[in-house]
């Protein structure tokens, strides 16, 4: 069996889902209706982050009860949304663009973290370098204002940003470690691990627990996270959808005296032998 097809442990039974249960079961909704509500755009029982912050959206409900109509109103005709934990196919009219396996992991007490002397906090002036590093390493969605979601740390070689990690989703008592990436020329030096530890130390200092999400096919990263002290909580999906589009406008038939109307027909409207 190849690394990319590693069999993950059986999916954990969820505590609950949607509007009635634990925040980890609907982590984006819990963030948007809780600690990160200032970044939220809402329509009924659907919410999304402001579109230059991150593409994530969420709905209240659960399997068979998701608020798809509210989400359609929120994103507009043909509008995109990236969802976690929505495993069922969307209703008719929606387009499911891509579905990827996703794991959710929670840090145990074994992963306490520690400061990293080589790292420094990243700020708005570092965003161009952060976006460049993300474009080269593709750790996941990272946009111009993602930095506003939490603290980010980076390691530099001279003026060049070569590794970073930071905080993304925040729910009551927990913060997600995200955007962990290292320039390919600097991999193998433990920078990502040390940066994760430094970010975790800041999370622990607030009395919170680090969590993370990773592609289910990224077996190497999952093994590393388990080695660091993360436990697999659930396997689910990352779903990219597009809302129903407006119907194409009907093309009206030309009037008789307009170009294309029957007056322009080469043949007479009433042919010999036909009733008029």
């Amino acid at each position: 069996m190849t690394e990319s097809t590693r069999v993950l442990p059986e999916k954990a039974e969820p505590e609950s889902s949607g509007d009635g249960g634990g925040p980890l079961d609907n982590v984006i909704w819990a963030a948007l209706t809780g600690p990160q509500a200032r970044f939220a755009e809402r329509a009924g029982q659907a919410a999304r982050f402001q579109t230059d912050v991150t593409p994530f959206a969420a709905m209240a409900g659960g399997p068979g009860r998701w608020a798809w109509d509210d989400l359609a109103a929120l994103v507009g005709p043909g509008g995109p949304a990236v969802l976690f934990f929505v495993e069922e196919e969307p209703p008719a009219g929606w387009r499911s663009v891509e579905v990827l396996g996703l794991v959710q992991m929670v840090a145990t007490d074994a992963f306490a973290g520690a400061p990293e002397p080589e790292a420094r906090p990243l700020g708005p002036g570092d965003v161009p370098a952060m976006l460049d590093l993300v474009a080269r390493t593709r750790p996941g969605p990272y946009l111009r204002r993602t930095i506003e979601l939490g603290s980010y740390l980076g390691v530099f070689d001279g003026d060049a940003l070569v590794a970073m990690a930071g905080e993304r989703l925040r729910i009551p008592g927990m913060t997600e470690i995200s955007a962990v990436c290292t320039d390919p020329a600097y991999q193998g030096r433990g920078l990502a691990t040390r940066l994760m530890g430094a970010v975790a130390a800041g999370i622990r200092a607030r009395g919170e627990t680090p969590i993370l999400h990773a592609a289910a096919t990224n077996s190497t990263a999952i093994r590393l996270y388990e080695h660091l002290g993360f436990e697999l909580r659930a396997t689910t999906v990352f779903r990219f959808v597009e809302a129903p589009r407006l119907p194409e406008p009907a093309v009206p038939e030309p009037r008789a005296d307009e170009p294309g109307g029957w007056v322009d027909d080469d043949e007479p409207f009433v042919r010999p032998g036909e009733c008029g």
Side-chain angles (χ1 to χ4, degrees), residues 214-225:
T217 55
N218 194 345
S219 303
T220 301
I222 292 169
R223 279 204 304 273
L224 170 63
Y225 301 148

Side-chain angles (χ1 to χ4, degrees), residues 8-156:
L8 294 168
E10 288 295 322
K11 178 179 173 182
E13 286 297 323
E15 299 166 10
S16 54
S17 183
D19 55 353
L24 283 174
D25 296 325
N26 200 347
V27 64
I28 298 173
W29 178 257
L32 287 167
T33 57
Q36 294 175 320
R38 69 187 181 94
F39 298 105
E41 297 175 348
R42 288 281 302 270
Q45 294 298 293
R48 70 175 176 182
F49 281 93
Q50 294 159 0
T51 55
D52 54 353
V53 174
T54 190
F56 299 147
M59 301 171 284
R65 301 181 293 111
W66 295 116
W68 289 105
D69 289 345
D70 288 344
L71 184 60
L74 177 64
V75 302
V82 177
L83 308 169
F84 287 8
F85 280 87
V86 179
E87 299 182 355
E88 66 189 58
E89 290 294 322
W94 284 83
R95 179 175 175 233
S96 189
V97 179
E98 189 170 23
V99 182
L100 301 173
L102 185 75
V103 299
Q104 183 183 76
M105 306 184 78
V106 178
T108 66
D109 291 341
F111 185 61
E116 171 49 46
E118 291 189 40
R120 72 162 174 84
L122 300 174
D126 297 306
V127 168
M130 297 168 75
L131 293 174
D132 179 68
L133 181 60
V134 165
R136 287 183 283 117
T137 57
R138 304 179 65 85
Y142 190 94
L143 305 178
R144 181 176 60 84
R145 291 181 55 213
T146 304
I147 193 172
E148 298 178 24
L149 295 177
S151 299
Y152 282 81
L153 300 175
V155 173
F156 288 77

